Amino acid sequence: MIIKAKDLTRVYENGAQSLCALDSVNLSVERGEFVSVVGTSGSGKSTLLHLLGGLDRPTRGSVAIDGAELYAMKPDALTVFRRRYIGFVFQSYNLIPGLNVWENVTLPLGLDGIKADRDETESLLSSLGIYDKRFSMPSELSGGQQQRAAIARALAAKPHVLLADEPTGNLDSKTGLEVMLLLGKLNEELSQTIVMITHNEELAQMTARRIRIEDGRIVSDSGEGRS
Amino acid sequence: MSGVIPRLALKRLSSHRLRTAVTAFAVVLTSVLYMTVLSIAWCIADSVQLSRQLATGSDFHAQLPQSGFALTPTELLRRVGSSPDVDEAYILSFSGSFRSEFDTDAKSAREIVLADRESVMKHLFLKKTKGRFPSAPDEIMLCEEVYPGLSVGDRIGFRFMTGEAAGGRELELEVCGFFVSDADFDLNGVMRWDETLDGELFSGADIMISFHSSIDIEGQLDELEESLSQYLEPGGKASGTVNYAFLGADIRSFFTAGNIALIIMITAVLFFASFLLIYNIYSIALTQDMRTMGLLGVIGMTFRQMRALITLEGLMISAAAIPLGLIAGYFIGFRALTPVFMSMSGEELPYRFNSLIAVISGGLTLFTLLFSATRPIRRIKKLTPVQSVSERPLPTKRERQRGSMNSPSPLKLAAASISRSKGRTAVTALSAALSVLLFTVVGAISGGVREYILRDMGMFDFETRLECEVEKIYADGRRVTDTSRADFNGVISRQIIDGIEKLDSLSEIHEIRSAKVTAKGSSRLSETIRAYRDQSSYKLSDPLIEAMEGSISAVVVGVPDELCRYIKVGENERGEPVYYDGSELYDGRHVLSVGGSISQYSGSSGFNGVHLYDGDLLSSDSMKRDYEVIYCEVYGSAALRRLCVLTPDFYEAMFILPMSVFSEEFPNAETVTLLMNAKEGREKELESEVEKIVDGYVWFVEPKNNYEIRLRGRIDEMRELDERLTAINLTGGVLCGIILLIGVMNMVNSSLTSVIHRRREYAMLEAVGMTEKQLRLMIIFENAVGAIAALIALTLGSVLSRAVVIASFGIDAGGLSLSAVIALAVMIIVSAAVSLVSFYIISELPVTQRLREE
């Protein structure tokens, strides 16, 4: 088991009001699984992903990745853990402006003091179909190309888990499908563990395991019995 | 720090060129500001120190007399020199002396220095020009300017006035060399100190001490004296004195609560102005980058790495901008403004650059820049990664609920937007207010100084006096003519007076006359001099001995009766002059005693207590009658200040009579000063005509004393005053101008960055029906904050400055400064221009496109 979330709860306080975005969620993901999380807007799926990736702090509960308790770590240690073991892909790509594709992709390694292997990076960019664009700035790329660059950056450090938040949300259906196929390929060929958030049922059908979340609770899980 | 951080920092700086350039410009401006203020402050301090050293004649930290110690001077020198705090120590002794062959008048006596080694000379500002330092006690090195006719090898007789021999002792010495002196201290010569001469020619040796540090010399000397206390004679006392020429000498007493408060205030204003600029520009830039920083956090950049990245970016900007700022600051602050400021006193003071000014300015600029980054860094630390990847706006302070159900007007919308960005608005408003406030303060100071000086300015357009020209030589080799040495020796001939009286441009003319008398002293004066003698280590000069014994040399000055009401007899608690307004002076039985001074052999300082007091009689064999003394607590020159700009040097004792009484007492007295006013608008004409009449008239000639007629007066004083005020206004104006530029930059930067970031918000307002006119109005309201703050600063600043000047000097110089009004106008114009540009930036893209912007 690579991801284990236990009693995961996140309550947002806003003055006297409070909103429970995630309510006592328990979830396990096996190594090499491709899991999609679906739900309506505001159902808590993004909150779940952020907590699984150590981007936010839960009000209650715990998350372990490969046995390491994320929220027992100090902030800097959690950041280092994240850059080594977790890759992120966002709907809005979130490439660093001012850096070209190559620099964006190799940045997490550089932050760890590791010099990126040139052959490996070239191979990664080639496999994602953006080798020709390696020196382009983010603003010079199409949406699909930017998302591929973001996936490349997420994979550069060979993470144990890839978390994708609506990776096709900003793309047209054709490009979205291409990105989806790419993720599937990564999962099949590299046994990359992927947890993907989407509101698109068709795309969710392409994954081996589908979790439905509503009002902060898991209401269905095609892989039930393991969680 | 891994290599990726420097590369990333460089990338970020180069990809945000405009932002980097604006920040760099702010850094340059801050460097210039610090450099200018520090240059002026440093040069004032340095110049004061150098001038004081030249006046006291040495740059030693302290001197410790051997008297009181049970050690020979050589033994004491060894003990002092072995102290860990002492850098250098020498034996030095002074002896009042005069050349027995020519100088029969003991008043011409000057010091001879006895030194144990040649290296002492540089500490006394003496430069060898010919020959060598004395090698034996019967040799002397002479001051070239005092003895121009002598050569090396000549023999010369000197009478030494200090030491044990009664009436001094004569010694024949061989001239072994010559020197020139840069100090404002007249020396006859330098002899070699010899222990055998101790007590015979001079009254004891001093150990001159230079410590390693100039700070707290008092404390260091106390410690040294304490360590030497075991060598004191029974009942002896160490009586070391500090050379207070060093600014750090009594540093402890300098740091009074008032001085500390003043330093803190000036530093705070400067730092605040610079901080506002850099903070506004740099922190806004970093805040704009908040999402990027959060994103870097998501992909694994630790907070420590982010802080290193921001610090490195700051250092990179500084590395390029600070040297530029320091170079600009050197030319603006040191080369251009410092000379102006240093000439403000009317005299060109020596000043020199010190690399420490640049180091401190650079350091302060860097500190300001890095300090400005601390708040954004704190915000970045608080930012969770999820906030930076969220589609929602970054969190700001929670807004309070408002119960208003009115539809918002452009003004209300502007107010709401201002209240949303309170910090930024506060910085812009403070910056604008500060620049206008400083202009107001400089204007008030300038106006106050002008009125203060005008209050005590001479009454006459022109006056003439025979004056001796004296040349001062500064350490840097410059020679400056000092024309202040005037005394009552110069007589203006009747021919000159008649010539001037005939001039058509002349409106009025008055004569001041004087007569010298030998007057009887008083028992009180004798007691005062005796007390002075008992506490002085020097022998009394002959005139002082005579005064003590009851005979004083005095000058009686005759002032026209109608001008006697301008004789200054004191000052009130506000420093305003108080003039004589009594009636006794005109009765032919009273005289004003306005003080006097007798110089000593020991140097430039004199004994200033040569007075007759209330109840004493001015009585002289050369006067027809005795006069009852009305004592005034001023010196002679100050008493006549309002009447005579060319104030005379102190005489031994000075008395004033109204001319009606004076003429009867001294019918043949000579005229020493003419006071003139020109007919209205004909001042220049009178000036040139009088100059023609007095041109070439020399009353008395000797090698160093050429008495020539000088023409000065209110016209010259006004000219000098205007020059000084120009210096104040120029220096203050440039500093305020830099701060104004900072205010303007803050306003422009805040407005434009805000507008660019809120284009979508404005588009939404337009989409829901806001017209262009309403939008324009709203932007004008938003940008009016700086101008409103400046207006408030001008109003409050003017009222407060006026009140402070009135309270301090009793002068109402008016509160409104023209430069401050101009600064306010600049703020208003900039505010309007920024509004127009902002509107252009907003309306440049169609609403639909702006609505799609993130």
Side-chain angles (χ1 to χ4, degrees):
Chain A
M1 196 181 304
I2 195 161
I3 301 175
K4 185 164 181 60
K6 200 174 166 189
D7 193 24
L8 210 50
T9 304
R10 179 68 166 99
V11 179
Y12 292 106
E13 300 286 348
N14 186 11
Q17 297 174 321
S18 63
L19 173 74
C20 186
L22 208 61
D23 189 4
S24 304
V25 168
N26 292 297
L27 173 69
S28 296
V29 177
E30 294 295 331
R31 194 178 301 275
E33 268 194 304
F34 190 173
V35 183
S36 62
V37 181
V38 292
T40 54
S41 178
S43 59
K45 54 188 189 301
S46 287
T47 304
L48 174 64
L49 191 86
H50 293 154
L51 289 173
L52 293 179
L55 293 179
D56 199 359
R57 285 204 170 254
T59 310
R60 197 175 64 235
S62 62
V63 174
I65 305 272
D66 258 352
E69 281 291 343
L70 294 192
Y71 298 108
M73 297 179 195
K74 287 184 176 173
D76 270 6
L78 176 58
T79 305
V80 171
F81 183 87
R82 204 164 54 224
R83 81 178 170 217
R84 287 179 184 164
Y85 304 111
I86 306 171
F88 288 97
V89 178
F90 300 101
Q91 179 180 347
S92 52
Y93 328 128
N94 284 333
L95 295 174
I96 307 294
L99 301 185
N100 64 24
V101 169
W102 185 280
E103 289 163 336
N104 258 292
V105 169
T106 56
L107 184 60
L109 292 168
L111 292 173
D112 223 1
I114 299 167
K115 194 173 186 309
D117 185 288
R118 188 180 170 138
D119 292 341
E120 276 186 22
T121 309
E122 282 179 356
S123 161
L124 177 63
L125 292 173
S126 298
S127 67
L128 291 169
I130 49 169
Y131 178 76
D132 293 345
K133 301 288 179 186
R134 64 191 182 285
F135 300 126
S136 299
M137 302 304 282
S139 56
E140 296 170 324
L141 301 177
S142 68
Q145 287 165 334
Q146 286 194 58
Q147 195 58 294
R148 284 162 192 267
I151 292 169
R153 184 179 67 189
L155 295 173
K158 300 192 181 76
H160 291 194
V161 177
L162 181 67
L163 302 176
D165 188 357
E166 301 270 13
T168 61
N170 276 357
L171 304 174
D172 59 67
S173 54
K174 183 172 172 281
T175 317
L177 188 61
E178 281 174 15
V179 167
M180 197 58 213
L181 290 171
L182 186 63
L183 291 174
K185 191 175 146 195
L186 288 170
N187 174 249
E188 280 172 21
E189 293 180 3
L190 305 172
S191 296
Q192 178 68 55
T193 310
I194 302 173
V195 179
M196 180 186 76
I197 300 287
T198 182
H199 63 271
N200 187 322
E201 294 287 350
E202 283 178 33
L203 294 180
Q205 291 299 326
M206 295 170 71
T207 63
R209 181 179 169 196
R210 291 166 301 283
I211 295 172
R212 178 168 297 279
I213 190 162
E214 275 174 25
D215 296 329
R217 288 172 177 273
I218 294 176
V219 293
S220 70
D221 183 351
S222 64
E224 209 164 10
R226 286 177 295 180
S227 58
Chain B
M1 191 189 301
S2 63
V4 74
I5 300 289
R7 282 203 304 277
L8 191 57
L10 266 178
K11 277 276 174 191
R12 279 164 47 83
L13 291 180
S14 61
S15 64
H16 299 293
R17 282 194 196 90
L18 181 63
R19 200 172 77 185
T20 305
V22 171
T23 310
F25 183 64
V27 171
V28 168
L29 216 52
T30 302
S31 302
V32 172
L33 185 67
Y34 282 137
M35 188 93 169
T36 303
V37 174
L38 281 175
S39 290
I40 291 172
W42 178 278
C43 288
I44 289 172
D46 185 42
S47 174
V48 166
Q49 179 162 300
L50 183 60
S51 302
R52 282 189 194 166
Q53 286 174 357
L54 292 172
T56 56
S58 85
D59 67 355
F60 289 106
H61 284 146
Q63 65 186 82
L64 182 65
Q66 176 263 334
S67 61
F69 284 96
L71 297 172
T72 65
T74 313
E75 287 168 341
L76 182 60
L77 175 70
R78 201 166 55 243
R79 306 279 179 198
V80 170
S82 64
S83 165
D85 293 336
V86 172
D87 182 31
E88 284 180 296
Y90 303 98
I91 295 176
L92 209 64
S93 183
F94 294 91
S95 180
S97 61
F98 58 91
R99 197 178 162 195
S100 48
E101 192 179 346
F102 299 102
D103 304 329
T104 51
D105 182 1
K107 276 198 290 185
S108 66
R110 293 189 181 92
E111 297 277 10
I112 279 184
V113 163
L114 296 100
D116 67 335
R117 65 196 87 172
E118 186 174 355
S119 54
V120 175
M121 287 183 70
K122 72 174 191 295
H123 293 291
L124 301 173
F125 303 107
L126 307 178
K127 286 180 199 155
K128 188 169 71 181
T129 54
K130 276 184 219 155
R132 57 172 172 76
F133 188 76
S135 57
D138 62 346
E139 291 182 337
I140 188 165
M141 201 174 191
L142 292 174
C143 179
E144 196 174 71
E145 292 159 315
V146 181
Y147 300 100
L150 292 173
S151 312
V152 174
D154 287 350
R155 296 194 74 79
I156 181 169
F158 267 99
R159 176 170 288 275
F160 291 85
M161 300 307 297
T162 35
E164 288 166 359
R169 183 184 155 180
E170 274 193 49
L171 203 67
E172 190 174 286
L173 303 166
E174 184 180 327
V175 179
C176 62
F178 288 90
F179 63 83
V180 288
S181 169
D182 286 342
D184 308 334
F185 190 83
D186 295 323
L187 275 182
N188 263 339
V190 178
M191 287 174 65
R192 185 165 198 100
W193 181 84
D194 189 294
E195 213 150 307
T196 60
L197 296 174
D198 194 0
E200 193 176 353
L201 292 187
F202 51 95
S203 50
D206 293 339
I207 308 301
M208 311 302 281
I209 303 158
S210 286
F211 294 104
H212 291 294
S213 162
S214 304
I215 306 296
D216 189 21
I217 297 172
E218 268 184 346
Q220 295 187 77
L221 184 63
D222 286 348
E223 274 181 32
L224 180 65
E225 287 183 343
E226 179 62 34
S227 71
L228 295 169
S229 59
Q230 56 186 305
Y231 304 112
L232 286 169
E233 286 172 344
K237 189 174 164 240
S239 49
T241 51
V242 172
N243 179 2
Y244 285 103
F246 287 91
L247 295 172
D250 52 351
I251 199 82
R252 280 185 300 192
S253 59
F254 175 75
F255 285 112
T256 59
N259 285 346
I260 291 171
L262 188 69
I263 291 170
I264 290 175
M265 198 180 76
I266 294 171
T267 313
V269 167
L270 270 180
F271 182 76
F272 191 55
S274 311
F275 171 72
L276 284 185
L277 172 69
I278 293 187
Y279 177 79
N280 193 25
I281 288 173
Y282 195 46
S283 68
I284 285 175
L286 289 176
T287 307
Q288 286 168 5
D289 246 10
M290 204 67 85
R291 197 178 284 275
T292 307
M293 297 309 287
L295 205 54
L296 285 168
V298 170
I299 62 167
M301 182 178 267
T302 61
F303 171 68
R304 202 172 290 175
Q305 285 175 317
M306 286 185 211
R307 196 172 49 195
L309 176 68
I310 291 170
T311 307
L312 195 61
E313 283 177 6
L315 290 173
M316 283 174 171
I317 293 172
S318 302
I322 289 181
L324 270 178
L326 295 181
I327 292 168
Y330 174 80
F331 284 104
I332 296 171
F334 181 76
R335 297 292 292 272
L337 284 179
T338 303
V340 175
F341 200 81
M342 298 304 285
S343 63
M344 203 165 65
S345 64
E347 192 180 336
E348 275 190 38
L349 296 171
Y351 63 94
R352 52 199 172 183
F353 186 74
N354 191 305
S355 51
L356 210 56
I357 300 170
V359 172
I360 296 173
S361 304
L364 277 173
T365 310
L366 185 61
F367 174 74
T368 311
L369 181 70
L370 296 181
F371 185 75
S372 302
T374 53
R375 191 160 176 263
I377 286 176
R378 276 203 307 272
R379 281 190 66 191
I380 287 168
K381 191 176 185 181
K382 283 182 190 165
L383 187 73
T384 62
V386 72
Q387 286 167 337
S388 60
V389 294
S390 164
E391 293 304 309
R392 288 189 297 273
L394 290 179
T396 52
K397 279 186 184 171
R398 199 160 54 83
E399 290 177 287
R400 281 192 304 180
Q401 287 188 356
R402 279 204 307 260
S404 169
M405 294 180 75
N406 297 326
S407 57
S409 65
L411 179 59
K412 278 186 181 168
L413 284 169
S417 111
I418 287 167
S419 78
R420 262 190 351 218
S421 53
K422 285 192 195 87
R424 185 185 294 197
T425 308
V427 168
T428 308
L430 278 173
S431 185
L434 185 66
S435 52
V436 172
L437 187 67
L438 288 177
F439 267 114
T440 310
V441 170
V442 169
I445 291 172
S446 171
V449 167
R450 182 183 170 81
E451 292 301 318
Y452 186 78
I453 293 174
L454 280 178
R455 194 169 64 179
D456 206 20
M457 190 169 267
M459 302 165 56
F460 293 94
D461 290 344
F462 302 105
E463 62 188 78
T464 60
R465 175 184 295 286
L466 278 147
E467 199 175 340
C468 172
E469 199 171 273
V470 177
E471 206 173 41
K472 277 186 182 173
I473 306 160
Y474 286 107
D476 61 0
R478 284 180 310 111
R479 289 166 180 262
V480 177
T481 302
D482 173 18
T483 56
S484 67
R485 196 164 291 186
D487 64 26
F488 284 115
N489 285 322
V491 172
I492 298 174
S493 72
R494 182 46 55 186
Q495 188 188 353
I496 286 179
I497 299 168
D498 291 344
I500 294 173
E501 278 177 342
K502 284 177 196 156
L503 294 174
D504 185 51
S505 53
L506 185 74
S507 161
E508 60 173 323
I509 184 165
H510 303 275
E511 294 176 32
I512 301 255
R513 296 182 188 171
S514 75
K516 291 177 190 171
V517 297
T518 303
K520 288 175 187 153
S522 69
S523 56
R524 188 169 166 184
L525 176 61
S526 298
E527 278 168 28
T528 312
I529 297 173
R530 208 165 283 129
Y532 169 71
R533 179 196 61 184
D534 293 345
Q535 55 88 34
S536 170
S537 59
Y538 293 99
K539 282 183 157 187
L540 294 183
S541 63
D542 289 347
L544 258 185
I545 292 170
E546 285 164 17
M548 188 176 69
E549 289 170 355
S551 170
I552 53 174
S553 298
V555 63
V556 184
V557 179
V559 175
D561 289 32
E562 65 273 27
L563 298 182
C564 283
R565 63 178 185 277
Y566 297 109
I567 296 168
K568 185 176 168 184
V569 292
E571 286 179 354
N572 65 16
E573 66 281 359
R574 282 179 172 174
E576 294 167 312
V578 174
Y579 299 112
Y580 178 77
D581 62 353
S583 57
E584 317 97 298
L585 189 60
Y586 308 95
D587 64 8
R589 287 186 284 117
H590 287 86
V591 69
L592 279 180
S593 166
V594 291
S597 164
I598 292 180
S599 62
Q600 267 286 47
Y601 294 134
S602 55
S604 56
S605 63
F607 173 67
N608 293 327
V610 190
H611 295 292
L612 291 184
Y613 297 92
D614 285 340
D616 291 341
L617 281 180
L618 172 63
S619 174
S620 168
D621 292 341
S622 52
M623 285 162 57
K624 293 169 189 161
R625 70 180 81 148
D626 296 345
Y627 294 86
E628 271 184 55
V629 167
I630 304 167
Y631 170 65
C632 306
E633 206 168 327
V634 284
Y635 294 120
S637 55
L640 293 174
R641 178 68 188 76
R642 190 99 165 90
L643 299 171
C644 311
V645 174
L646 295 172
T647 51
D649 275 3
F650 297 152
Y651 208 71
E652 289 173 12
M654 185 168 150
F655 300 90
I656 298 176
L657 283 174
M659 197 62 84
S660 55
V661 180
F662 182 89
S663 302
E664 281 184 29
E665 185 63 64
F666 305 103
N668 300 318
E670 304 280 7
T671 299
V672 291
T673 299
L674 286 180
L675 309 171
M676 293 162 273
N677 269 329
K679 285 180 181 162
E680 202 170 335
R682 298 179 69 179
E683 290 83 3
K684 282 196 173 170
E685 190 184 333
L686 180 66
E687 185 177 20
S688 69
E689 285 173 339
V690 173
E691 269 175 355
K692 272 184 210 158
I693 291 171
V694 301
D695 187 36
Y697 179 84
V698 178
W699 180 74
F700 179 73
V701 178
E702 65 173 48
K704 282 193 76 186
N705 298 309
N706 294 318
Y707 282 81
E708 292 177 350
I709 286 187
R710 301 262 170 246
L711 189 63
R712 276 176 56 88
R714 185 170 52 197
I715 302 290
D716 274 321
E717 280 197 313
M718 286 298 290
R719 209 174 286 145
E720 281 171 12
L721 174 61
D722 285 341
E723 279 170 15
R724 290 165 73 176
L725 290 176
T726 305
I728 292 178
N729 288 330
L730 192 64
T731 316
V734 169
L735 286 176
C736 293
I738 294 172
I739 292 170
L740 176 70
L741 196 55
I742 288 173
V744 167
M745 277 189 70
N746 271 334
M747 196 187 268
V748 173
N749 184 57
S750 290
S751 300
L752 297 186
T753 48
S754 163
V755 158
I756 290 167
H757 273 259
R758 289 167 57 212
R759 274 205 289 214
R760 189 177 175 193
E761 180 187 325
Y762 292 121
M764 283 190 288
L765 288 169
E766 285 178 87
V768 296
M770 183 177 259
T771 63
E772 277 197 0
K773 191 180 169 187
Q774 286 172 319
L775 183 61
R776 200 181 291 128
L777 208 57
M778 178 182 163
I779 292 167
I780 288 172
F781 287 145
E782 283 183 11
N783 287 310
V785 173
I788 292 168
L791 180 64
I792 294 169
L794 178 71
T795 312
L796 287 181
S798 300
V799 172
L800 286 175
S801 306
R802 187 179 180 190
V804 168
V805 170
I806 289 173
S808 308
F809 305 111
I811 290 167
D812 186 0
L816 206 57
S817 153
L818 178 64
S819 48
V821 173
I822 294 172
L824 174 64
V826 168
M827 282 293 177
I828 292 171
I829 292 167
V830 169
S831 162
V834 162
S835 300
L836 287 176
V837 173
S838 299
F839 184 74
Y840 172 77
I841 291 171
I842 293 168
S843 53
E844 156 186 62
L845 295 175
V847 173
T848 47
Q849 192 173 336
R850 277 185 278 141
L851 280 171
R852 281 199 297 271
E853 283 183 357
E854 265 189 41

